[in-house]
Each structure stands twice: as C-alpha cells, then as structure tokens.
Amino acid sequence: MDKKLKTKSKTKSLKPNKESSTKLDVDLWEQNEDRFTICEFIPDRQANKSQQNIKAAATSGTVVCPGNAEALSLTASGSGKEAPVPQLSTTPTAISIAGCASGTALVTLDPDAATIEATEPERGNWTGRFDFLLSLLGYSVGLGNVWRFPYLCYNNGGGAFLIPFTIMLIIAGLPLMFMELSFGQYAALGPVAIYRRFCPLFRGLGTGMVIVSAIVMLYYNLIIAWTIFYMFASFRTQLPWQNCEPEWSTVHCFSYVMADQCEAANGTYYLRKCYNSTAAEEHNITEKALHALKRPPAEEYFNNFVLGLSSGIEETGNIKFSLAACLLIAWVIVFLCLCKGVQSSGKVVYFTALFPYLVLVILFFRGVTLPGANTGILFYLTPDWKQLANAQVWGDAAVQIFFALSPAWGGLITLSSYNKFSNNCYKDSLIVAFCNIATSFFAGLVIFSIIGFLAHELDVEVKKVVDQGAGLAFIVYPEVVTRLPISPVWSVLFFVMLLTLGLDSQFALMETVTTAILDKFPNLRQYKTWVVLFVGIFGYVGGLGFTTNSGMYWLQLMDKYAANWSVLLIAISECVLIAWIYGSQRFLNDIQGMIGKRSRLWNFFWGVMWRYITPATLLFILFFNWVEYKPAQYGHYVYPLWADTVGWIIGLLPVFIIFVVGVQQICKAPKHLNFRDRLKHLLRPTAEWGPAGRPCVNLHAERYQSQNYDRVTNTQILISGAPLEVTPYEDASNGNGNGNGNANATNGTDNGCRDVGMQL
C-alpha cells in the first residue's frame, strides 16, 4: 500500500533541455495555477548572501532573488523606502523570474491575493479533454461537409478534387486552425478580450469576429428549424411530400407515382392529369408533355408549404407560424445545452458530434445496396485530371476548406479558451483536420449512392438530379426516401443527422457571442444562465424575419455576404499580427510553453506557413472571390440592386468596426507621442498580455528579449494584498546584473536569468 502511494506521489517533470534548466511539477502547478502572477524584477547588484538569509526571506513572505540575500524588501519606484514585510501564510514556491542571478525567486502563494482574484467569477473549463475535442469536431464538421463538398467534388474533377482540397487544407485550413486554437488556449480569453490585450490598435478584430458569428447565428438556427419541421413531418406512415397534395402543389407538380400508373395504362401524364391515347393524340399532349415543366412533389412541398415562398425579397408576406414554432424549439434546445456554458455543452456533444457518423454509416450500407448506386459513386469518384489545371478548381477547394474549418469567426478562439493551459492543441488540430476531410469524402459516397439510385429510378443522367445546399437536403433526399421501403424511418434518421450537425456549429456560434459578453463584464459570469437566455431571446426575435414568406431570400443574401470578404480580411490581418508584428518564433515559443519543446524543423515549418504561405493563400482566395463575384440570386430569381447593397453593408460592417476602433485607439494614445510612435505603441501587447491567471511556463528566453517586452511599464504586483510598484526589466543581458559571479550557480546562465519558467 505504501509503495503504491509512493508511486502516485512522484512528480511529472519536463525533460531538461538546452534552453532551460527548470523543472515543472505539473500536478502542483495545475492545482495552484490560478494563484500565480507573472512579474519581472530588476536584479539587485549587491553581493550574495548565505542560504540562511534566503530562508529568512521565505519565512517573511517577501519576493527575493536567491542571489541577493538582502532583498528582503522591495523599493517602490526606486524611492529607497523599504516596503512593509507581509506575513507569509502559505508555503513559498520557487519561480524563475527574469533578472534574478540564480534563476529563481521565492514567491508566496498568499490566500489574500487569491481572495482578491476570486471576487471575479471563474470562466470555467472543459470538464474533460474529449469535451473540447468533440466540440471542435462538431464545429468544424458541419452541414457543408454533407451538402456542399460532394457537389464540389463532382463538379471539379471527381476524385481529382481531393488533391487540391488536401493541399489547401495543409497550407490554409490547418495553419489557421492551429494558430487560433493556440492563441485562445494561451490567453484563456474570448476574441474580443484577447485582441484588447494582444494588439490595442486592432482590438476591433475580436469585435468583428463576434459580429460575424452573431449574424450567422441568427439565420443558421433557421436551418435547424427546417430539420425539426421535417423530422416531425416524417412521423407518419406516408410522407406528406410523396404525392402532389392540392393544398400546396401547382399544376407543374409532377408525381412520379401517378405518372408510372398512367404509363402502365397506356396513357400520357400531363399537368397532373392522365390522358388516354385518343385524347393525347387529339390535343398533341404527347409533344407538350415532353417539354413541360416538371417539379417533383418534394420541391413544391418545400417551397410552397414549408417556406410559403413569395415571388421576391421585396414581398415580405407574413410569418409562417409553423416555422416560428420550430425556430422556438431550436432556440430552446440551444439554450438548454448552453445554459451552464461549456460544462453542459461539453456533455451534449458526445451525442451531437458522434451520432452523424452512425447515421452516415447506416445510410452508406443502405445506399450501396440500391440499384444505380454504382453509377452515382463512379460519377462522384472518376477523376478528371485535366481539371487540376483549372484555377476554378483550386479556388473552390480553398474556399470550401476555409469555410469548413471556420477560422476567423471567433469560434475556434472561444472553444480553446476554456482549455487547460497544458492541453495539446496541436494534436487536436491535426485530428480535427483529418476528420474533416475524411468525413467530407465519406459523406460524398453516401450522397452519390443515393443520387445514383434516384437517377436510376427516374431514368435520367446523374447530373440531372445532383444538387447542393438546401436543394440537396430538403428536395433531392426527401424525394429519394419516398422510393425506399419504410421511408419514414430513413427520413427521420437523415433529418436527425442534419439536426445534430447543425446544433454543434450553432453551439460554437452562440458560445462565441456569450463569451464575448462575459469577458467584457466578468461579474455576469455568476448569472451565465441569464446571459445565455438573453442572447437566445435576441436570436429568436432576430430570426423571426427569416420565417416570413421572403425569409429564404434574406437567408441566401446573408449567407452570401455575412461571412465572406470580412472573414477573409480578418484572417489575413490575424496572420500579419501574429506572424509578423508579434513574431512567429515568439508565438511558437508560447505554444511550446504549453505543449512542450519541438524540433527546429517543426518551428521552421510553422513559421514559414504563418509568415508566407498561409497569408498568400488567403489573398488568393480573396482575389478569387472578387474575380468570381456575381450579384446574389436564388434559383432563377435575381436580387434587386438595393438588396445587393444591403448585403455589401452587412458584409463590410465588421471591417468598418475594425477601422473605427483603430482610429479611436490612435486618438486615445498618449498625446506626447507622434503618429508613428503611437502606432508602434498600439501594436505592442499590453502589460496584461500573457497566459491569463497562469504562470509563464515558457522554456525559451527569446520571447523576453524582443522589443515588445523591453519596456513593460506601470506594473504592480500584490504581496499579501499590498500593491508594490515593480521597476520594468529593461536589459537582462547586461553582464553587470550578475557581476558577483553568481551566474555560475545557475547552470551556466550568465546573462541575468534568461530562462523564464517555474520550479516547484
């Protein structure tokens, strides 16, 4: 028994490396991480004293460098007055502080300071690692993987499309995802708060991300409401869109069941009537039937009954109460899953993230057994290598992967901000990126096996029935299931899958908005349920406009403009800020402080990606979107000019906010600085920037040798609740700081304690 206890009590420590001799007790750190403060001290120039004096300093509760036994009191702002010695109430802990000759300093874990921090409610964390991983998977693998990727693959060279898609994933999608996950995890803040500390000049970037997520959140939940509507409609023995019902169908509704019955009786089916051979010949019905407009019942059911679609966006009409009720149910589901924040949503995703895979597997085995499935799958996979020379193919691949992983929306930063500091976000990003492309490919097999069956049933080519987006989910697939045995079962399975796919993405969008509010007003964290309720009510009221007869036109307009140009510009700005202004290597050092030291090749690869390749790819996507731009249209309906103008205003609103906030920050900058110095000042991280509420466990000195960290001014620390001024550490490399030969006592550190780490 004693032996087991002894084994469990062993500390997990980082392996020593060339750049740091500090060791980290991971267990003790994680237990006390919220009670540490990052601070830097000027080394005292006096001679070393004995270890007895160091112990005396520890018992007195002061912060001292072991190389200076007389630093039992800190002088405030260089005044020479001794600060009162606070009483030590807990065991001191050794932490490496820049500027200490010996490489460590004694800092007390004082409960009074912890009490002061405790007045601000905690943000909360994921209760388990898989909570985050599945939430991230659900956010990244959404409706687009099922209803857009298969169409793009078929339209851009079949199986050959996987090559540009994978390349774009590596050079654009994955680097952005890894960057944002690391960024949010390091600072433990949402997008608004993180940019306020990271780069005051571009603090509007976070606000822009939240605006994008808020707009998408409004209409995205309507798609979930459609799936709820269809799910309820499927709970009957015969699906309502199986035949052309008089209450919602037009004369152009073409019922394949009735047409087959008419043909069996040697008649001609035309405009919902069956003509015998005599009448058909007399009125030339056979010729008219060949060129008649034919709409499947599922299409008319969706447009006329579910949406009550008007003739255009200018004809608003009335609210569809059936859709409004389903939208209310969708928001109630979102509220119940998010009312406790990540603690509640982290459990729900075990179902919502994994259930779609179960349904896809079931549909796959059912689909491949249907007649005509082989034709559909071959149509999907047959590579057309000539298409790889087409810029359109590469543009479509880049756009799809960018919007599939959803960087620059704020969701990735928000989700990762609830991680533990030591979580391996690098591994998470690799897993999710691989799952994204694998899910997209597998979903294509499922969809095209079903489309091949529909083409076989209708005796037409596959390209005649293939579709994407809402057309695939709410027209093509519902038409397919009417031809399957026990069709209601397959219908319910499919729409529950769409529901769970949509909910995961909606959770992240909603969490991005609520996190921004709670980070701005931390005292509201204890009323998190009420904040989520308020945002939910706002979302429901704002989404009612999409339930009107013109709602579909507004949804398509928002989908085209809301998350397009602005998101790309935000992503490019993010790359420039982190990789060029903050420094790619410094950021990589921050990441290695969380996940451990990596090879030089690893550092080189990600540095090149973030500095050159990824921004260039984003510029290509932006340029491609501008070149391929066409005014909005839905089907054959072309939007009026005023509607396109509204779309542009909504799309450029986040960019306008970023610009306005930047100008405001320049005006607020210190008046004694000229314009250039103001920009330099505002581009630097503030004194608050860092791993919030955690020790800086960075095993690399480079981060603290850059210009942005040479002048940290107006810094205070709390020693047992008493604020003391700390003189900024300006030149750690000055050899005089260790002029008494004490540097040799710290494993060769001869320039003022270069390693910044923690030793427990």
Side-chain angles (χ1 to χ4, degrees), residues 33 52 64 180 298 312 503 549 579 637 679:
E33 57 179 336
Q52 294 177 352
V64 300
E180 289 203 350
L503 281 175
N549 299 119
Y637 173 77
L679 290 180

Side-chain angles (χ1 to χ4, degrees), residues 65-87:
C65 295
N68 176 17
E70 295 195 3
L72 301 182
S73 61
L74 295 175
T75 57
S77 302
S79 62
K81 296 181 180 179
E82 289 189 339
V85 177
Q87 295 299 317

Side-chain angles (χ1 to χ4, degrees), residues 305-321:
F305 184 73
V306 178
L307 302 179
L309 196 63
S310 63
S311 59
I313 194 171
E314 60 277 346
E315 187 183 333
T316 303
N318 302 315
I319 291 176
K320 290 279 294 181
F321 290 104

Side-chain angles (χ1 to χ4, degrees), residues 708-725:
N708 284 358
Y709 288 91
D710 289 342
R711 297 179 181 87
V712 182
T713 57
N714 301 325
T715 306
Q716 284 190 334
I717 60 169
L718 287 175
I719 304 296
S720 296
L724 295 178
E725 291 290 339

